[in-house]
Structure formats: C-alpha cells, structure tokens
Amino acid sequence: MLTSGESPIPLRALLAGARRKEQALLACSLGLVAQSPAPAAASVAKPAAALPAAEQQPVTNPLADPKAVVVLGHARFSVLTPQLIRMEWAADGKFEDHASFVFLNRRMPVPKFSQALTDNGHTLTIKTTALTLTYTLTPDGRFLPGNLSIALAVDGKSTVWFPGHEDPDNLQGTTRTLDGANGDKIREPIEPGLVSRSGWALVDDSTRPLFDSADFRFLQGEKSPWPWAMQRPAGDRQDWYFFGYGHDYRQALGDFVKVAGRIPLPPRFAFGAWWSRYWDYTDQELDELISGFRQNDIPLDVLVIDMGWHISNEQLKAAGEVDQSNHPLGWTGYSWNKVLFPDPDEFLQKIHAEGLKATLNLHPASGIEPWETAYPAMAKAMGIDPATRKFVAFDIADKKFAANYMSLVHHPLEKQGIDFWWLDWQQEQHTSMPGVMPTWWLNYVHFTDQQREGKRPLLFHRWGGLGNHRYQIGFSGDTHTSWQSLAYQPWFTATAANVGYAYWSHDIGGHIPGGVEPELYTRWVQFGAFSPILRTHTTKNPDAERRVWAYPEPYSSILRSTFQLRYALEPYTYTEARRTYDTGIAFMRPLYYDWPNEDAAYTAKGEYIFGDQMLAAPVTTPADKLTGLATEHIFLPRGDWYEWPTGRRLTGPVTMDRSFSIDQTPIYLKAGAIVPMQPPMLYTGQKPVDPLIVNVWPMAVGASSTYQVYEDSGAAVDYQKGIYARTPVKASQTADTLRVEIGPVEGNYPGSLQQRGYELRLPADWPPSSVTVNGVAVRKAGVTGKGGWSFSGNTLTTIVPVPSASVSAKVTIEVRRAPGLIGRRGQLDGFAGAMTRLRAAYDAMQQTWPIAAPPDTLIDAMQTGDRLTYHPERVAAEITRFHETIMPKAQSDLAGIVDSMSQRFKDNTRRLGATPAEVEAQKQRRMDAVKKAQLLLAEIEK
C-alpha cells in the first residue's frame, strides 16, 4: 500500500519535469482561491480582518500539485479534492497542463488519499475519503466501461460509475438562450449540471480549447499580456472531471469555483432597475422617459439603448451601401445615428448627471464596414488601405483583430460615456479557430478587456457554455409574453446555479409580441424584484408598454412600490451577491441545495432560495376573476417560516395552497431572519445608506441569529483584496426581551461611512413595553412618528430609530415586551394578511352603493391595525377583541346583507338604471361585489 504523494509508477522524471513546468505556469486568475498571501492593501483602506481564502488576492495555477498526481501507463489521475478527480488518457502519453476554458486552477490542497497497485502492476486503486477509483491497464489504456470505475456512497447507498454510464437524474444547468421560448418550449436544450440526484456528474473537457497562459492579473493594465485561446494538441485523448459529491450540492459548486474561477461580483448599480425596449428612440424621448421615472418616484439605474442608437438600415440603403459580410444591412453598427442623437457626448453627460449608466446593443457579425467612424483607424491597423473601402471582417478569435477592435472601436465609445456593452450575437456558431464558439469567446474578450482597463467588469450577453459563469450578466433572449413564460423563468434561473451561472436577466414582461396585460406585467415585475436582475424589455411594437406610470390603478401603484422594494433590499441583495462570490453558491438557487433529501424540494419548480434568509415563490398564475386572488401551491421545507405579506407563521415541511392578492408577493422568511435595507433612492448611490435599516423577524425564546452586511467602494476588483466593510448584526430572544447588537463595523474602504444611524424594524410581533439603545431608554414617538420608537399596526411592526454614531462602536438595542406576550404570538398569526383582506372587502362593499354599504363591524375590524398604530399599549385587548368579537360580527353582518340583497334590489330598482338590461348589469355587479367581500373574509381564517 502506498500513501498519497508516493507514485507506484517509476516515472519520477515525469514528476520532476512537472515541477519545473509548474514554475512556468504559475499565475494569477479571475477570482480563484489564494495559494499565497495577499499583497498589502493601499494605505487608504484597512482590509477586513481574518479574510477567508476567497477574499484575498486571487491566484491560480493550472498544474496540479505533483503529490496529488498518479500516473499509470498513458493515464494520469489528479486528485483535486476528496470528491473531485481529473482523469486523463492520451494515446501519446503526453498530458495537458494548460488551463482550459473551464478549468483554470488545478493546484488544490492535496487531499488525503491512498493508492495501490495490484494484478502485477496492471490495476490501480485510488481511495479518498469519498471515492474509490479503480483503473486497469488495457493494450492502449483508453478509458472504457470495463477498465475504469469509481465507487461512492450516496445517502448511505453504494453506487458505481463507469464510462458511458447514463445519468437520468442530472439536475441540469442552463442553455445559451431562451429566444423564441414559450414556457418550457425552448429551442435549445438545457445543458447538464454539475450536480445530480445520482450523486455524481462527469464533465468531459477533452475537446475544449485551452488558454496559452493563466495569468489573468493584468498588472500592466491595457499593456498586460492577454491570455488567448489555443487548440489542444493533435492526437487521441480523454480529459474528464468526475464530481462525486453525493447530495452535497453546495460543496460541489464550492469546489467547482475553486478550480474553474469564482463568480464575479457585479457593480452595485447592476442590482437596481434597468430600462430596455427595442425602439428607435430620439435623445429627447429618452430624456422624457427618464423624467417620467423621476417624476413618478420610480428608481432607475441602467438605460439600455437598443440598436436604434447606430446608423440604420434605411439610412445605409439610401446611401447605396451594402453589407460586405453578407449579413443583414444595418444590423451591425458602431457609429451614432446623428439624426436621433445629434450630440451623443452631451446626451451621455446628461444621463450620468441623472445617476444613470448607459449600455448599447451590439450585433458584431458584420465587422467594421467602411461607413463606420472607426473604419479608417481599424482598417489601417489590420493592414487594409482605407481608400479601398474593403470592410474589416469580424474575427474575434484573431488576437490582433480583437485588440484593435476593443481599443479602436469600443474604447472611444466608452470614453464618450458608455459604461458597458450589451452583446447580442445571433449569427454563426463558429469562429476562425475550431472549437472556439463566438458567444463564449466574445464574453471572455469583453469581460477581460474591462479588467485590463481597470474596471469592475460587467457584461450583458447570452450564456456561452460551461466556464461562462466567470463572465456575467446573462441575457436570456426573446421570450413569448405569456403566463407560461413567467412560470418557467423561476425554475430556469435557479437551475442555472447548477453550473455557477448566477445572473440571468430576463425580458420582464416578455418580448414577443410585446403587449402585456396589467396583471401579468405586475406579476412579472414582482418576480423580477426577487431575481438577480430587474430589467424590463419588449420588442418593437407600438402597443408594447413597459412604463410603470402608464398602467391603470391599482397596477401602477403596485408596480411603483415593487420597484421601490427592489431598491430597499439592495443592501441584502448585494451582500448575498458577495456571498455568491465567496462560496460559489448562487444567491438565487434551487431548494434542494439546502434540503437535498426532501422530494418536494425538487418538484417545487416555482420556488427558490433568494439569499440565505428568504424563500421566494412568486405568483405565476392569473387570479380568480371574482376575488382577485391567485392561488399558488407552496412547499415549505423543515423549519419555522414567516409569510412576509401576511405575517402568517408556518412550520415545515408542509405543502399547501395559499392565495395572494395582486399587491402580495409570496416571500417566506426564516424565523429570526435578519434582512438589511436602505432608505428610498432614485438610483443606486444617490445618497449614503444612512440609516441602515435592519429588519429582524420573530424567533423563539432562547434562539439567536446573525448576519453581516457587506459594502465596498465598487472600484475595480478591490473587493477581492480585502478592501471592503462588513457590519455584523446579532439578534437573540431571551424571555420577554429581544436584544439586537449592530457593529462595530469590520474593515474599511475609500468612501466608507465613519458615522451612521440605524433603524431597527421588528415585523409581525407585539409592540414593546420599553426600549433601550445602549442602555438609554427610548420613549414612544409622538403623533409625528418622530423622536422615539413607533408602531405600525397594520403589519405589527415596531420601528426603533438609532441616532448616528461612530461605526467603530457597537450599538445594543433591547426591546422588552409585556410579560407573557411572547408566548401568545399565535394570536398575531396572519394579522397583516387579515388587514389586507379586510381592506379589499371594504373596497368591494363600497361598490354596492346604493343597494348596500360596508357594515360598521367590517370597518371596525379593518381599523384594528390603525388603532394599534395610535395606541400600541392596547394591543392585547385589541387583538383579543378582533378575534373573539369583531370578526365574527363582521362575517355575520355581511352574511345578513347577502341574504337581504333580493329585497334591497326591489327597493332600489329605479336607482340602478333606465332599462331592464342596465338594471340587471348593475344588480350583477353589486352581487359580485358582495360575494367577493364574503369570500375575502373567509380567506382570513386560512
């Protein structure tokens, strides 16, 4: 028996050569785990203490540690982790040590493993703590079902993998595009994922191109060497990666990003709202659009300008031009349409003055045609005489072309004010280099070009294949506008986490044909608010409306509040995006990552985890026409959960039907969840996040929870070097007292706040009998709601303001409830939802006049939360009265009205209309309203 690091094969010379090769290949990469100490941060910013490896200067080395390598004949095995083994076979015995398009870093800490030779040196067995690999030499050594196998245990049951083993239980990854998709009817198949219910997944890397260098540090900026694609050597070879993680999906994805590069953190503004529409806007129209957002108090960060920004097909035809590449004329463009944008520089300055970022659409397939502004410089750089007017063919795989393309065509536009690019490649699926796909390589070129420029990279394009998790954001393409498309997108977006693709951006509202009715659009925006990117879009159709303020009420107000909620949650979303970088686990992910042994976690396709504190189940079905309620089939995993819009406490595992009005989005918070938020803003960074709002949901006595709010400067990749800050929050419930500790802040970055206030919010719980901040009593606020703590009765939310102070000091808030109330939380269950239903019932009954009106008992019940806002000290009596007296009376009185409607109609027939048809229509309208009110009251008890 041989231990790890001892080769059973007399090829020590190979290992010695590998060590020499290692020195030449050692380099740094795009967000990989550090293997050496991080360089000291700039003196202006003190790095956060005790950095995990993912937070230090990223380093990569494509050569595995020789101690992790075992060679037998023409086969080589690299034990990268206890559950991940690289398996290579080469007919010529020459193995590959360059980084591939997917796997950049193979220098992992050597796991404990053993190796043994039996059968006269013909059979090799490698054992880790998780896997047992057996390989038997054959005449040529090629991996076959009969000579290679890996045994592992999955949930205590033994399973064996071998080459060619089909896996029907792979949990899938993602696909290049949803162009033309209508629900799950998609044009391109979903690729396999890195995780499976079978417990294993195999990645065949045999034919993927390689990088000629693995140095992605770009230390010399735009003068830095640029790693480029190269083909694999000729010859017959196999290069496989076996992931045998059982159902530990988190560990599988966490290890994947260690060998394949981390999921980068987008700029914070990316988590704001994006406006996009396929329309040939003038600059004046865009100015008016932005004014509409501002005047209607709707936040916006990104202005996406579709292909109308450049010279059009009609203008080129009029000038007698032809597309020399034989692509559609005017589809590609790099020169401003001066009819629509007379002064692009001034226009972009105005955009930035409004706090917005701008991106332009690109269809680059036609290359640089002679009418383009950049043509003379580009032609000369590529050895073409501009006088010939011969176009410069698009060849992104050619390094000379790519370098000139970026520096001469894109960079001048960026200097004008374009912040990032929307690539919309829809043409050929090949380049001049075999195996290099244009989507994948365009993503790489554009993303790393921004790195070379010293920016925090941001890209907007389709998925190019495995390894593209390093180059986000994803543009999912032109889907149909339908409930089916909306219902498909939560599953599709979460499932992409299985290949590390964390940032799909969908056309909110759908693309084809463009028109969308208000209910569907509202539900789509609600999903967008709880997805990685919120970007509205549509095709070129005059009837395609996406402006929030153009929709009728109540939709317009609900859409506005949804956009505002998205911005309020930005501290949470950005923190969870940082966690995605650190762990490799996308913050929007399937439920089975956390509950792998729950069958329902796999079948609840409309649900997903949204950050560590939330489970989202957006409404994707139309509402009942009478009640206005949409019913969703909800699965909640093991644990205690709070339904955010209703305040209902639910205990899992449980599957149930829940109903939601158009203003409610099904979001479930873990008991004790801590969710940071920020004050209202019209765009990201409009003002400092001060106060930082901290929401803490109820928890059981004796329980505690923690959270760390992440912030950085947004500058380049400083976040990878420890230049950031974290604000720790801890909450604990002991008897009748909730104790919340905030700070002191850990770390620093240029521009970080040195003083800050906080606002503590405690939803779905009893109001306090007393509140202290750092031991000092806080009085209840007056009628203005200022000067102390306050209580929002409709949602049972206590609000405690904390004055601004040094962030280096810890703030301790203690909220004490009256003795015994914590044990009576069941009385509060679903109270916020009851207030919503009562208001809807009241509004419905208002529509019955002059036949009927809301009964006083209904109004009395509806006003319970309002009374609690004024007098939270009366909460115990009010809640008891609500359940035992008012609600039963309201239901009884409403039933009485229903019973008397026939007589009421007889008494008021003349007031309903002049003709029999009008009278009958008015009767039906009022009967529907009464029935709606009655059904809504019945919903309160569910």
Side-chain angles (χ1 to χ4, degrees), residues 481-494:
T481 298
S482 67
W483 284 99
Q484 294 91 333
S485 290
L486 170 59
Y488 182 67
Q489 288 179 5
W491 176 85
F492 176 83
T493 312

Side-chain angles (χ1 to χ4, degrees), residues 620-851:
T620 58
T621 54
D624 178 81
K625 296 300 182 183
L626 180 59
T627 64
L629 300 180
T631 300
E632 292 290 319
H633 195 61
I634 303 292
F635 163 69
L636 290 179
R638 192 173 308 278
D640 291 331
W641 301 86
Y642 281 85
E643 192 173 70
W644 194 348
T646 70
R648 176 80 68 185
R649 180 178 174 272
L650 301 159
T651 299
V654 63
T655 300
M656 61 199 164
D657 287 339
R658 300 288 294 158
S659 297
F660 303 94
S661 55
I662 189 64
D663 58 337
Q664 294 178 320
T665 305
I667 303 296
Y668 296 88
L669 287 303
K670 297 177 180 178
I674 298 173
V675 177
M677 296 172 70
Q678 67 185 15
M681 296 192 189
L682 289 175
Y683 57 88
T684 299
Q686 181 190 16
K687 53 190 175 184
V689 180
D690 188 11
L692 175 66
I693 300 166
V694 177
N695 296 269
V696 180
W697 267 261
M699 66 184 76
V701 173
S704 64
S705 56
T706 61
Y707 196 80
Q708 286 195 323
V709 185
Y710 173 81
E711 296 171 284
D712 63 35
S713 67
V717 291
D718 282 355
Y719 72 93
Q720 297 177 1
K721 305 172 185 177
I723 304 176
Y724 61 85
R726 293 186 191 269
T727 302
V729 181
K730 179 181 180 181
S732 55
Q733 183 76 53
T734 57
D736 298 312
T737 300
L738 176 72
R739 181 184 178 94
V740 178
E741 299 171 293
I742 306 174
V745 171
E746 300 166 358
N748 202 347
Y749 59 88
S752 60
L753 292 176
Q754 300 306 304
Q755 285 199 318
R756 168 182 269 164
Y758 300 99
E759 181 176 290
L760 177 64
R761 296 181 183 176
L762 307 174
D765 213 340
W766 299 99
S769 58
S770 66
V771 176
T772 63
V773 174
N774 293 332
V776 178
V778 179
R779 65 180 180 86
K780 181 181 177 298
V783 293
T784 63
K786 299 179 179 179
W789 66 267
S790 59
F791 190 69
S792 178
N794 283 331
T795 59
L796 301 179
T797 300
T798 299
I799 303 167
V800 181
V802 178
S804 182
S806 172
V807 298
S808 63
K810 181 165 72 173
V811 173
T812 301
I813 307 159
E814 289 193 344
V815 177
R816 184 181 298 276
R817 272 81 179 213
L821 284 186
I822 294 298
R824 295 168 56 189
R825 277 181 175 152
Q827 294 179 259
L828 307 179
D829 200 21
F831 183 82
M835 293 299 102
T836 301
R837 295 288 180 268
L838 285 164
R839 177 55 191 266
Y842 168 82
D843 290 342
M845 288 302 298
Q846 289 282 44
Q847 302 303 310
T848 64
W849 188 89
I851 304 303

Side-chain angles (χ1 to χ4, degrees), residues 32-33 105-106 108 251 253-262:
L32 291 166
V33 176
N105 180 61
R106 305 182 188 102
M108 300 283 284
Q251 188 64 49
L253 273 299
D255 284 351
F256 173 69
V257 298
K258 293 176 183 175
V259 296
R262 295 198 172 270

Side-chain angles (χ1 to χ4, degrees), residues 83-85 87 150 152 161 167 170-171 192-196 198-204 240-246 252 498:
Q83 302 93 346
L84 175 58
I85 298 178
M87 305 176 291
I150 297 179
L152 67 157
W161 168 88
D167 179 16
N170 187 279
L171 292 168
L194 297 166
V195 294
S196 170
S198 299
W200 58 267
L202 184 75
V203 176
D204 186 350
W240 298 347
Y241 290 78
F242 182 83
F243 290 74
Y245 285 83
N498 294 342

Side-chain angles (χ1 to χ4, degrees), residues 4 67-68 79-84 108-114 128-129:
S4 71
K67 294 179 181 178
V79 185
L80 302 177
T81 79
Q83 302 93 346
L84 175 58
M108 300 283 284
V110 180
K112 182 179 180 181
F113 71 94
S114 65
T128 72
T129 56

